[in-house]
Amino acid sequence: MSEAFLSVEAVSKTFAPRLSLGERIAAALGAPPAKRPLQAVREVSLEIRRGETLGLVGESGCGKSTLGRMIAGIAAPSAGAVSLDGDPVMRGGRKATTRVQTVFQDPFASLDPRMKVGDAIAEGPVAHGLVAKPQARAYVAGWLDRCGLDPAMADRWPHQFSGGQRQRVAIARALAMQPDLLVCDEPVASLDVSIQAQILNLLMDLRRDLGLTCLFVSHDISIVRHVSDRVAVMYLGRIVELGPAASVLARPAHPYSLGLLESAPRLSLDGRSTFRPIPGDVPSPLAPPPGCAFAPRCSLAQDACRAAPPPLSEVAPERFSACLRADVLTGRPPGQASHMSGA
Amino acid sequence: MSAPSTPLALFWADFRENRVALAALAMVALIALAAIFAPLIAPQNPYDLATLSLMDARRPPGFVGSGGYVHLLGTDPQGRDLVSAILYGLRISIQIGVAAGAVALTLGATLGVAAAYLGGRLEALIMRAVDLQLSFPPILLALVLSALLGQGRLQLIAALVAAQYAYFARTAYGAASAERRKDYVEAALATPLSGRRVVFRHLLPNCAPPLIVVATVQIANAISLEATLSFLGLGLPVNEPSLGMLIANGFPYMMSGRSWISVYPGVALIVLIVAINLVGDQVRDQFNPRLRR
């Protein structure tokens, strides 16, 4: 498709187990492997369109952060390729572009404690010739100002900032590289709730003003609903549903998305909690079920679901679901999902 | 004065609060200054054989020798003034300790950080070699090496470096492999910044605290190792008496009422090593996040 700006093609990420010397000798002698490789992301294909914000949601351990890290050029895919405007994001195990930048989850870990924040922001742009060294101070001051910080704070150390301020510094550092795509990996998850909204609004304002394309990774559906144009829902290393945020979150076409929506705690005016957890547990990614990974927890599952993983297919215009029984779900508003209980 | 804000200023503010460590630091500084300016302070140049007289040998503290000045701490079996010999001995001990410590630090930190940053076969190779070496006592290695290399300052420094670099490598490796996994290193690599820049601007400065602690302790160890080797006659040539050799020179006279020849150089050595260790302890406590207020 021509509108793809960032494209992810059949990307997988496998983490090989670390074997001790004894285990390696045993394996060489033909013993059955004691540890299996962990497949965190399985053949995911995805595209992000120019100017849009794609939300990536899923439970912890579903592979959303790993996928985000591959798109950001931090982790090299085991198979498949990520490209931006046709150019690969990574080449030979190293990041090959400055056009993708990342805002990390924990601003207390993502800033070097022994570097003044102004130097941290200027470092990348100076190294890549985006700004000459004599102009770096003014350049940094400009980005601090845009991110809602006093430009005089450039001479301070990270420990002198609060969590919210640090995340603003981290955003300024990412944006000072003048990226086209900003990967936000749970950018507000480690912040106080009172600060979250400020940072989200800052990100949304900057995205609009700078014409950024965004990948927004989060486990929090209400945040993703707030910021995303489209959402992708991940479960056990695969994307199970993809589509415009408003319609996916109003009428999910995959039982897992529906379960995720209903298990999110909400307050309603009549004081009743609508919290309804998904029965069962996420299967181990070391030993995934042969068919649809959600089948063991799904009340709609049939024999066909357990045979082979269902492909992500278009169930309605712009709407993709990896569920063989998506037709049962589409057209049915959430909240009447009596089929989810039990299992 | 505004509140201290740079890490160094904060560090100094904490350091000042420990009186013992402050006194130890002052003692180290005093000894270092005395050693540096030994040619100006010492009444005699103990290397200049023309100024030595065997008539003055083994004289007790307070003796006025043929030079016409008081030997405050007495003289040794060659007729050297002990104050002068100790000052010059400290000079050699500190020179060799600091030089060996600095070279061992550079070599060990490079190997350790390279192993942690690059990983793979290089990591296994370097760290197994280091582990192997750590299983030998450093004195044994230094003894064998200085016996093989012969006498002289460079040979002695080489032997001390070989005995000590492994401690720096182990420490640097531990610190760097912990820092390597932190988000700020990932953020630097994701900018992307060159590997060299990530290592020198981000990884190394954050590995510095444990390395500084090990360096202070290892300089003290290098000084005592050097003294041991010289005591055993393996360190420096006889005409360049270090503290260890002065102690060895006086050793035969310990039981014959002339204990000052060994005792005063020994006291100088102990004071120096204890003072460096006290400073090192305070530095270690300050870098330990669990002891931080």
PDB file of all heavy atoms in Angstrom, chain A residues 69 74 95 97 101 104 109-110 112-115 123 128 157 160 173, chain B residues 5-7 183-184 186-187 190-193 197 201-202 205-206 209:
ATOM      1  N   ARG A  69      10.202  -1.870  20.456  1.00  0.00           N
ATOM      2  CA  ARG A  69      11.660  -1.722  20.427  1.00  0.00           C
ATOM      3  C   ARG A  69      12.235  -2.076  19.056  1.00  0.00           C
ATOM      4  O   ARG A  69      13.236  -1.505  18.640  1.00  0.00           O
ATOM      5  CB  ARG A  69      12.295  -2.601  21.509  1.00  0.00           C
ATOM      6  CG  ARG A  69      12.136  -2.024  22.919  1.00  0.00           C
ATOM      7  CD  ARG A  69      12.270  -3.101  23.984  1.00  0.00           C
ATOM      8  NE  ARG A  69      13.477  -3.878  23.795  1.00  0.00           N
ATOM      9  CZ  ARG A  69      14.644  -3.558  24.338  1.00  0.00           C
ATOM     10  NH1 ARG A  69      14.741  -2.496  25.088  1.00  0.00           N
ATOM     11  NH2 ARG A  69      15.696  -4.311  24.136  1.00  0.00           N
ATOM     12  N   ILE A  74      15.837  -0.436  18.380  1.00  0.00           N
ATOM     13  CA  ILE A  74      16.646  -0.759  19.555  1.00  0.00           C
ATOM     14  C   ILE A  74      16.996  -2.242  19.562  1.00  0.00           C
ATOM     15  O   ILE A  74      18.097  -2.632  19.895  1.00  0.00           O
ATOM     16  CB  ILE A  74      15.896  -0.379  20.849  1.00  0.00           C
ATOM     17  CG1 ILE A  74      15.659   1.118  20.865  1.00  0.00           C
ATOM     18  CG2 ILE A  74      16.666  -0.820  22.075  1.00  0.00           C
ATOM     19  CD1 ILE A  74      14.690   1.562  21.930  1.00  0.00           C
ATOM     20  N   LYS A  95      21.182   0.554  14.583  1.00  0.00           N
ATOM     21  CA  LYS A  95      20.170   1.455  14.081  1.00  0.00           C
ATOM     22  C   LYS A  95      20.745   2.287  12.942  1.00  0.00           C
ATOM     23  O   LYS A  95      21.870   2.796  13.027  1.00  0.00           O
ATOM     24  CB  LYS A  95      19.699   2.362  15.204  1.00  0.00           C
ATOM     25  CG  LYS A  95      18.451   3.100  14.834  1.00  0.00           C
ATOM     26  CD  LYS A  95      17.916   3.844  16.019  1.00  0.00           C
ATOM     27  CE  LYS A  95      16.763   4.715  15.576  1.00  0.00           C
ATOM     28  NZ  LYS A  95      16.402   5.682  16.595  1.00  0.00           N
ATOM     29  N   THR A  97      18.950   4.860  11.224  1.00  0.00           N
ATOM     30  CA  THR A  97      18.249   6.102  10.923  1.00  0.00           C
ATOM     31  C   THR A  97      18.110   6.944  12.179  1.00  0.00           C
ATOM     32  O   THR A  97      18.119   6.409  13.293  1.00  0.00           O
ATOM     33  CB  THR A  97      16.852   5.815  10.339  1.00  0.00           C
ATOM     34  OG1 THR A  97      16.204   7.055  10.094  1.00  0.00           O
ATOM     35  CG2 THR A  97      16.007   4.997  11.297  1.00  0.00           C
ATOM     36  N   GLN A 101      12.604   8.118  16.814  1.00  0.00           N
ATOM     37  CA  GLN A 101      13.128   8.352  18.156  1.00  0.00           C
ATOM     38  C   GLN A 101      12.151   7.807  19.181  1.00  0.00           C
ATOM     39  O   GLN A 101      10.981   7.589  18.882  1.00  0.00           O
ATOM     40  CB  GLN A 101      13.381   9.842  18.397  1.00  0.00           C
ATOM     41  CG  GLN A 101      14.515  10.415  17.558  1.00  0.00           C
ATOM     42  CD  GLN A 101      15.875   9.801  17.886  1.00  0.00           C
ATOM     43  OE1 GLN A 101      16.185   9.486  19.029  1.00  0.00           O
ATOM     44  NE2 GLN A 101      16.691   9.617  16.855  1.00  0.00           N
ATOM     45  N   PHE A 104      11.041   6.673  26.514  1.00  0.00           N
ATOM     46  CA  PHE A 104      10.987   5.449  27.298  1.00  0.00           C
ATOM     47  C   PHE A 104      10.009   5.569  28.463  1.00  0.00           C
ATOM     48  O   PHE A 104       9.577   6.660  28.816  1.00  0.00           O
ATOM     49  CB  PHE A 104      12.381   5.112  27.831  1.00  0.00           C
ATOM     50  CG  PHE A 104      13.339   4.710  26.748  1.00  0.00           C
ATOM     51  CD1 PHE A 104      14.022   5.669  26.019  1.00  0.00           C
ATOM     52  CD2 PHE A 104      13.544   3.377  26.444  1.00  0.00           C
ATOM     53  CE1 PHE A 104      14.900   5.306  25.017  1.00  0.00           C
ATOM     54  CE2 PHE A 104      14.422   3.007  25.444  1.00  0.00           C
ATOM     55  CZ  PHE A 104      15.094   3.973  24.727  1.00  0.00           C
ATOM     56  N   ALA A 109      15.237   6.179  34.663  1.00  0.00           N
ATOM     57  CA  ALA A 109      16.274   5.283  34.135  1.00  0.00           C
ATOM     58  C   ALA A 109      16.776   5.735  32.772  1.00  0.00           C
ATOM     59  O   ALA A 109      17.884   5.411  32.387  1.00  0.00           O
ATOM     60  CB  ALA A 109      15.716   3.860  34.022  1.00  0.00           C
ATOM     61  N   SER A 110      15.970   6.506  32.043  1.00  0.00           N
ATOM     62  CA  SER A 110      16.321   6.779  30.653  1.00  0.00           C
ATOM     63  C   SER A 110      17.215   8.001  30.491  1.00  0.00           C
ATOM     64  O   SER A 110      17.672   8.279  29.392  1.00  0.00           O
ATOM     65  CB  SER A 110      15.068   6.925  29.800  1.00  0.00           C
ATOM     66  OG  SER A 110      14.371   8.094  30.133  1.00  0.00           O
ATOM     67  N   ASP A 112      20.820   9.745  31.597  1.00  0.00           N
ATOM     68  CA  ASP A 112      22.114   9.456  32.197  1.00  0.00           C
ATOM     69  C   ASP A 112      22.286  10.322  33.446  1.00  0.00           C
ATOM     70  O   ASP A 112      22.289  11.545  33.350  1.00  0.00           O
ATOM     71  CB  ASP A 112      23.221   9.751  31.178  1.00  0.00           C
ATOM     72  CG  ASP A 112      24.604   9.379  31.707  1.00  0.00           C
ATOM     73  OD1 ASP A 112      24.749   9.202  32.933  1.00  0.00           O
ATOM     74  OD2 ASP A 112      25.513   9.256  30.882  1.00  0.00           O
ATOM     75  N   PRO A 113      22.415   9.690  34.644  1.00  0.00           N
ATOM     76  CA  PRO A 113      22.493  10.486  35.874  1.00  0.00           C
ATOM     77  C   PRO A 113      23.738  11.371  35.948  1.00  0.00           C
ATOM     78  O   PRO A 113      23.785  12.290  36.744  1.00  0.00           O
ATOM     79  CB  PRO A 113      22.515   9.430  36.983  1.00  0.00           C
ATOM     80  CG  PRO A 113      22.913   8.160  36.325  1.00  0.00           C
ATOM     81  CD  PRO A 113      22.448   8.246  34.913  1.00  0.00           C
ATOM     82  N   ARG A 114      24.743  11.103  35.123  1.00  0.00           N
ATOM     83  CA  ARG A 114      25.976  11.887  35.178  1.00  0.00           C
ATOM     84  C   ARG A 114      26.134  12.815  33.981  1.00  0.00           C
ATOM     85  O   ARG A 114      27.231  13.118  33.562  1.00  0.00           O
ATOM     86  CB  ARG A 114      27.183  10.953  35.276  1.00  0.00           C
ATOM     87  CG  ARG A 114      27.241  10.345  36.633  1.00  0.00           C
ATOM     88  CD  ARG A 114      28.308   9.342  36.823  1.00  0.00           C
ATOM     89  NE  ARG A 114      27.887   8.466  37.899  1.00  0.00           N
ATOM     90  CZ  ARG A 114      27.982   8.775  39.175  1.00  0.00           C
ATOM     91  NH1 ARG A 114      28.507   9.901  39.546  1.00  0.00           N
ATOM     92  NH2 ARG A 114      27.554   7.936  40.085  1.00  0.00           N
ATOM     93  N   MET A 115      25.013  13.242  33.419  1.00  0.00           N
ATOM     94  CA  MET A 115      25.098  14.209  32.331  1.00  0.00           C
ATOM     95  C   MET A 115      24.036  15.273  32.545  1.00  0.00           C
ATOM     96  O   MET A 115      22.877  14.958  32.818  1.00  0.00           O
ATOM     97  CB  MET A 115      24.882  13.488  30.999  1.00  0.00           C
ATOM     98  CG  MET A 115      25.230  14.328  29.796  1.00  0.00           C
ATOM     99  SD  MET A 115      25.031  13.412  28.248  1.00  0.00           S
ATOM    100  CE  MET A 115      26.697  12.876  27.955  1.00  0.00           C
ATOM    101  N   GLU A 123      23.441  16.279  22.766  1.00  0.00           N
ATOM    102  CA  GLU A 123      24.411  15.279  22.335  1.00  0.00           C
ATOM    103  C   GLU A 123      24.105  14.679  20.954  1.00  0.00           C
ATOM    104  O   GLU A 123      24.941  14.700  20.057  1.00  0.00           O
ATOM    105  CB  GLU A 123      24.483  14.161  23.373  1.00  0.00           C
ATOM    106  CG  GLU A 123      25.638  13.218  23.149  1.00  0.00           C
ATOM    107  CD  GLU A 123      25.673  12.086  24.165  1.00  0.00           C
ATOM    108  OE1 GLU A 123      24.612  11.751  24.723  1.00  0.00           O
ATOM    109  OE2 GLU A 123      26.761  11.543  24.380  1.00  0.00           O
ATOM    110  N   HIS A 128      25.037  14.300  15.082  1.00  0.00           N
ATOM    111  CA  HIS A 128      24.514  14.033  13.742  1.00  0.00           C
ATOM    112  C   HIS A 128      24.453  15.294  12.880  1.00  0.00           C
ATOM    113  O   HIS A 128      23.856  15.276  11.804  1.00  0.00           O
ATOM    114  CB  HIS A 128      23.137  13.381  13.830  1.00  0.00           C
ATOM    115  CG  HIS A 128      23.208  11.952  14.280  1.00  0.00           C
ATOM    116  ND1 HIS A 128      23.506  10.925  13.431  1.00  0.00           N
ATOM    117  CD2 HIS A 128      23.061  11.395  15.504  1.00  0.00           C
ATOM    118  CE1 HIS A 128      23.530   9.786  14.093  1.00  0.00           C
ATOM    119  NE2 HIS A 128      23.261  10.041  15.363  1.00  0.00           N
ATOM    120  N   TRP A 157      21.116  18.809  36.744  1.00  0.00           N
ATOM    121  CA  TRP A 157      21.328  17.360  36.639  1.00  0.00           C
ATOM    122  C   TRP A 157      19.984  16.653  36.750  1.00  0.00           C
ATOM    123  O   TRP A 157      19.067  17.172  37.400  1.00  0.00           O
ATOM    124  CB  TRP A 157      22.254  16.892  37.755  1.00  0.00           C
ATOM    125  CG  TRP A 157      23.585  17.555  37.713  1.00  0.00           C
ATOM    126  CD1 TRP A 157      23.922  18.731  38.323  1.00  0.00           C
ATOM    127  CD2 TRP A 157      24.740  17.146  37.002  1.00  0.00           C
ATOM    128  NE1 TRP A 157      25.211  19.052  38.031  1.00  0.00           N
ATOM    129  CE2 TRP A 157      25.743  18.095  37.229  1.00  0.00           C
ATOM    130  CE3 TRP A 157      25.029  16.050  36.184  1.00  0.00           C
ATOM    131  CZ2 TRP A 157      27.015  18.000  36.688  1.00  0.00           C
ATOM    132  CZ3 TRP A 157      26.289  15.945  35.647  1.00  0.00           C
ATOM    133  CH2 TRP A 157      27.276  16.911  35.898  1.00  0.00           C
ATOM    134  N   GLN A 160      17.807  16.537  39.898  1.00  0.00           N
ATOM    135  CA  GLN A 160      17.157  17.749  40.407  1.00  0.00           C
ATOM    136  C   GLN A 160      15.747  17.934  39.846  1.00  0.00           C
ATOM    137  O   GLN A 160      15.125  18.961  40.099  1.00  0.00           O
ATOM    138  CB  GLN A 160      18.032  18.965  40.074  1.00  0.00           C
ATOM    139  CG  GLN A 160      19.361  18.940  40.807  1.00  0.00           C
ATOM    140  CD  GLN A 160      20.306  20.016  40.322  1.00  0.00           C
ATOM    141  OE1 GLN A 160      20.742  19.995  39.178  1.00  0.00           O
ATOM    142  NE2 GLN A 160      20.614  20.965  41.171  1.00  0.00           N
ATOM    143  N   ARG A 173      14.584  15.526  24.427  1.00  0.00           N
ATOM    144  CA  ARG A 173      15.755  14.850  23.868  1.00  0.00           C
ATOM    145  C   ARG A 173      15.372  14.084  22.592  1.00  0.00           C
ATOM    146  O   ARG A 173      16.099  14.127  21.596  1.00  0.00           O
ATOM    147  CB  ARG A 173      16.333  13.874  24.891  1.00  0.00           C
ATOM    148  CG  ARG A 173      17.522  13.087  24.352  1.00  0.00           C
ATOM    149  CD  ARG A 173      18.104  12.164  25.381  1.00  0.00           C
ATOM    150  NE  ARG A 173      17.135  11.153  25.789  1.00  0.00           N
ATOM    151  CZ  ARG A 173      17.389  10.198  26.666  1.00  0.00           C
ATOM    152  NH1 ARG A 173      18.570  10.125  27.226  1.00  0.00           N
ATOM    153  NH2 ARG A 173      16.464   9.318  27.007  1.00  0.00           N
TER     154      ARG A 173
ATOM    155  N   SER B   5      25.388  21.729  43.903  1.00  0.00           N
ATOM    156  CA  SER B   5      24.522  21.021  42.967  1.00  0.00           C
ATOM    157  C   SER B   5      25.281  20.041  42.093  1.00  0.00           C
ATOM    158  O   SER B   5      24.725  19.031  41.690  1.00  0.00           O
ATOM    159  CB  SER B   5      23.782  22.021  42.090  1.00  0.00           C
ATOM    160  OG  SER B   5      24.727  22.740  41.331  1.00  0.00           O
ATOM    161  N   THR B   6      26.550  20.328  41.799  1.00  0.00           N
ATOM    162  CA  THR B   6      27.261  19.370  40.959  1.00  0.00           C
ATOM    163  C   THR B   6      27.535  18.122  41.789  1.00  0.00           C
ATOM    164  O   THR B   6      27.654  18.196  43.012  1.00  0.00           O
ATOM    165  CB  THR B   6      28.598  19.941  40.455  1.00  0.00           C
ATOM    166  OG1 THR B   6      29.458  20.113  41.574  1.00  0.00           O
ATOM    167  CG2 THR B   6      28.418  21.278  39.753  1.00  0.00           C
ATOM    168  N   PRO B   7      27.615  16.941  41.137  1.00  0.00           N
ATOM    169  CA  PRO B   7      27.865  15.709  41.895  1.00  0.00           C
ATOM    170  C   PRO B   7      29.126  15.799  42.735  1.00  0.00           C
ATOM    171  O   PRO B   7      29.160  15.330  43.870  1.00  0.00           O
ATOM    172  CB  PRO B   7      28.017  14.662  40.793  1.00  0.00           C
ATOM    173  CG  PRO B   7      27.251  15.204  39.641  1.00  0.00           C
ATOM    174  CD  PRO B   7      27.391  16.695  39.718  1.00  0.00           C
ATOM    175  N   ASP B 183      18.189   1.899  30.822  1.00  0.00           N
ATOM    176  CA  ASP B 183      17.536   2.568  29.694  1.00  0.00           C
ATOM    177  C   ASP B 183      18.383   3.679  29.086  1.00  0.00           C
ATOM    178  O   ASP B 183      18.286   3.930  27.900  1.00  0.00           O
ATOM    179  CB  ASP B 183      16.199   3.176  30.154  1.00  0.00           C
ATOM    180  CG  ASP B 183      15.096   2.132  30.191  1.00  0.00           C
ATOM    181  OD1 ASP B 183      15.356   0.995  29.774  1.00  0.00           O
ATOM    182  OD2 ASP B 183      13.980   2.472  30.627  1.00  0.00           O
ATOM    183  N   TYR B 184      19.197   4.372  29.891  1.00  0.00           N
ATOM    184  CA  TYR B 184      19.909   5.504  29.315  1.00  0.00           C
ATOM    185  C   TYR B 184      20.940   5.048  28.290  1.00  0.00           C
ATOM    186  O   TYR B 184      21.201   5.764  27.325  1.00  0.00           O
ATOM    187  CB  TYR B 184      20.528   6.393  30.397  1.00  0.00           C
ATOM    188  CG  TYR B 184      21.709   5.809  31.124  1.00  0.00           C
ATOM    189  CD1 TYR B 184      22.990   5.942  30.613  1.00  0.00           C
ATOM    190  CD2 TYR B 184      21.544   5.126  32.310  1.00  0.00           C
ATOM    191  CE1 TYR B 184      24.080   5.409  31.268  1.00  0.00           C
ATOM    192  CE2 TYR B 184      22.615   4.588  32.973  1.00  0.00           C
ATOM    193  CZ  TYR B 184      23.878   4.731  32.451  1.00  0.00           C
ATOM    194  OH  TYR B 184      24.946   4.191  33.103  1.00  0.00           O
ATOM    195  N   GLU B 186      20.482   2.333  26.445  1.00  0.00           N
ATOM    196  CA  GLU B 186      19.619   1.981  25.319  1.00  0.00           C
ATOM    197  C   GLU B 186      19.199   3.250  24.565  1.00  0.00           C
ATOM    198  O   GLU B 186      19.193   3.283  23.339  1.00  0.00           O
ATOM    199  CB  GLU B 186      18.379   1.273  25.864  1.00  0.00           C
ATOM    200  CG  GLU B 186      17.776   0.312  24.896  1.00  0.00           C
ATOM    201  CD  GLU B 186      17.075  -0.795  25.642  1.00  0.00           C
ATOM    202  OE1 GLU B 186      15.984  -0.520  26.172  1.00  0.00           O
ATOM    203  OE2 GLU B 186      17.600  -1.913  25.699  1.00  0.00           O
ATOM    204  N   ALA B 187      18.853   4.287  25.335  1.00  0.00           N
ATOM    205  CA  ALA B 187      18.435   5.543  24.707  1.00  0.00           C
ATOM    206  C   ALA B 187      19.571   6.120  23.867  1.00  0.00           C
ATOM    207  O   ALA B 187      19.349   6.619  22.760  1.00  0.00           O
ATOM    208  CB  ALA B 187      17.998   6.547  25.782  1.00  0.00           C
ATOM    209  N   ALA B 190      19.918   4.150  20.789  1.00  0.00           N
ATOM    210  CA  ALA B 190      18.757   4.305  19.910  1.00  0.00           C
ATOM    211  C   ALA B 190      18.714   5.682  19.266  1.00  0.00           C
ATOM    212  O   ALA B 190      17.833   5.961  18.466  1.00  0.00           O
ATOM    213  CB  ALA B 190      17.470   4.050  20.696  1.00  0.00           C
ATOM    214  N   THR B 191      19.676   6.547  19.616  1.00  0.00           N
ATOM    215  CA  THR B 191      19.618   7.912  19.034  1.00  0.00           C
ATOM    216  C   THR B 191      19.876   7.944  17.528  1.00  0.00           C
ATOM    217  O   THR B 191      19.124   8.639  16.825  1.00  0.00           O
ATOM    218  CB  THR B 191      20.579   8.846  19.788  1.00  0.00           C
ATOM    219  OG1 THR B 191      20.180   8.888  21.161  1.00  0.00           O
ATOM    220  CG2 THR B 191      20.554  10.230  19.228  1.00  0.00           C
ATOM    221  N   PRO B 192      20.826   7.266  16.896  1.00  0.00           N
ATOM    222  CA  PRO B 192      21.878   6.456  17.484  1.00  0.00           C
ATOM    223  C   PRO B 192      23.152   7.268  17.698  1.00  0.00           C
ATOM    224  O   PRO B 192      23.447   8.170  16.953  1.00  0.00           O
ATOM    225  CB  PRO B 192      22.126   5.413  16.393  1.00  0.00           C
ATOM    226  CG  PRO B 192      21.821   6.113  15.122  1.00  0.00           C
ATOM    227  CD  PRO B 192      20.803   7.168  15.420  1.00  0.00           C
ATOM    228  N   LEU B 193      23.906   6.901  18.764  1.00  0.00           N
ATOM    229  CA  LEU B 193      25.233   7.475  18.981  1.00  0.00           C
ATOM    230  C   LEU B 193      26.243   6.352  18.753  1.00  0.00           C
ATOM    231  O   LEU B 193      25.912   5.189  18.903  1.00  0.00           O
ATOM    232  CB  LEU B 193      25.356   8.010  20.408  1.00  0.00           C
ATOM    233  CG  LEU B 193      24.417   9.160  20.759  1.00  0.00           C
ATOM    234  CD1 LEU B 193      24.504   9.482  22.240  1.00  0.00           C
ATOM    235  CD2 LEU B 193      24.762  10.398  19.943  1.00  0.00           C
ATOM    236  N   ARG B 197      31.223   6.635  21.683  1.00  0.00           N
ATOM    237  CA  ARG B 197      30.626   7.699  22.471  1.00  0.00           C
ATOM    238  C   ARG B 197      29.818   7.134  23.633  1.00  0.00           C
ATOM    239  O   ARG B 197      29.885   7.632  24.761  1.00  0.00           O
ATOM    240  CB  ARG B 197      29.713   8.527  21.570  1.00  0.00           C
ATOM    241  CG  ARG B 197      29.421   9.857  22.160  1.00  0.00           C
ATOM    242  CD  ARG B 197      28.574  10.713  21.249  1.00  0.00           C
ATOM    243  NE  ARG B 197      28.379  11.958  21.940  1.00  0.00           N
ATOM    244  CZ  ARG B 197      29.228  12.964  21.865  1.00  0.00           C
ATOM    245  NH1 ARG B 197      30.274  12.878  21.084  1.00  0.00           N
ATOM    246  NH2 ARG B 197      29.018  14.043  22.559  1.00  0.00           N
ATOM    247  N   ARG B 201      31.235   8.340  27.056  1.00  0.00           N
ATOM    248  CA  ARG B 201      30.463   9.428  27.645  1.00  0.00           C
ATOM    249  C   ARG B 201      29.384   8.949  28.617  1.00  0.00           C
ATOM    250  O   ARG B 201      28.948   9.680  29.477  1.00  0.00           O
ATOM    251  CB  ARG B 201      29.794  10.268  26.550  1.00  0.00           C
ATOM    252  CG  ARG B 201      30.759  11.072  25.711  1.00  0.00           C
ATOM    253  CD  ARG B 201      31.572  12.055  26.571  1.00  0.00           C
ATOM    254  NE  ARG B 201      30.758  12.992  27.321  1.00  0.00           N
ATOM    255  CZ  ARG B 201      30.254  14.110  26.819  1.00  0.00           C
ATOM    256  NH1 ARG B 201      30.511  14.447  25.581  1.00  0.00           N
ATOM    257  NH2 ARG B 201      29.510  14.898  27.556  1.00  0.00           N
ATOM    258  N   HIS B 202      28.908   7.705  28.421  1.00  0.00           N
ATOM    259  CA  HIS B 202      27.803   7.248  29.266  1.00  0.00           C
ATOM    260  C   HIS B 202      28.192   6.079  30.170  1.00  0.00           C
ATOM    261  O   HIS B 202      27.993   6.136  31.377  1.00  0.00           O
ATOM    262  CB  HIS B 202      26.605   6.857  28.395  1.00  0.00           C
ATOM    263  CG  HIS B 202      26.037   8.001  27.631  1.00  0.00           C
ATOM    264  ND1 HIS B 202      25.228   8.946  28.209  1.00  0.00           N
ATOM    265  CD2 HIS B 202      26.183   8.383  26.347  1.00  0.00           C
ATOM    266  CE1 HIS B 202      24.887   9.852  27.314  1.00  0.00           C
ATOM    267  NE2 HIS B 202      25.460   9.540  26.177  1.00  0.00           N
ATOM    268  N   PRO B 205      31.626   6.857  32.752  1.00  0.00           N
ATOM    269  CA  PRO B 205      31.397   7.748  33.905  1.00  0.00           C
ATOM    270  C   PRO B 205      30.504   7.101  34.961  1.00  0.00           C
ATOM    271  O   PRO B 205      30.669   7.346  36.154  1.00  0.00           O
ATOM    272  CB  PRO B 205      30.708   8.968  33.288  1.00  0.00           C
ATOM    273  CG  PRO B 205      31.130   8.960  31.872  1.00  0.00           C
ATOM    274  CD  PRO B 205      31.290   7.517  31.492  1.00  0.00           C
ATOM    275  N   ASN B 206      29.563   6.255  34.532  1.00  0.00           N
ATOM    276  CA  ASN B 206      28.676   5.626  35.494  1.00  0.00           C
ATOM    277  C   ASN B 206      29.298   4.422  36.175  1.00  0.00           C
ATOM    278  O   ASN B 206      28.772   3.938  37.174  1.00  0.00           O
ATOM    279  CB  ASN B 206      27.356   5.242  34.825  1.00  0.00           C
ATOM    280  CG  ASN B 206      26.462   6.453  34.635  1.00  0.00           C
ATOM    281  OD1 ASN B 206      25.900   6.969  35.580  1.00  0.00           O
ATOM    282  ND2 ASN B 206      26.391   6.941  33.406  1.00  0.00           N
ATOM    283  N   PRO B 209      32.296   5.225  40.080  1.00  0.00           N
ATOM    284  CA  PRO B 209      32.314   5.112  41.543  1.00  0.00           C
ATOM    285  C   PRO B 209      32.957   3.833  42.074  1.00  0.00           C
ATOM    286  O   PRO B 209      33.906   3.924  42.869  1.00  0.00           O
ATOM    287  CB  PRO B 209      30.832   5.217  41.920  1.00  0.00           C
ATOM    288  CG  PRO B 209      30.230   6.021  40.825  1.00  0.00           C
ATOM    289  CD  PRO B 209      30.988   5.642  39.580  1.00  0.00           C
TER     290      PRO B 209
END
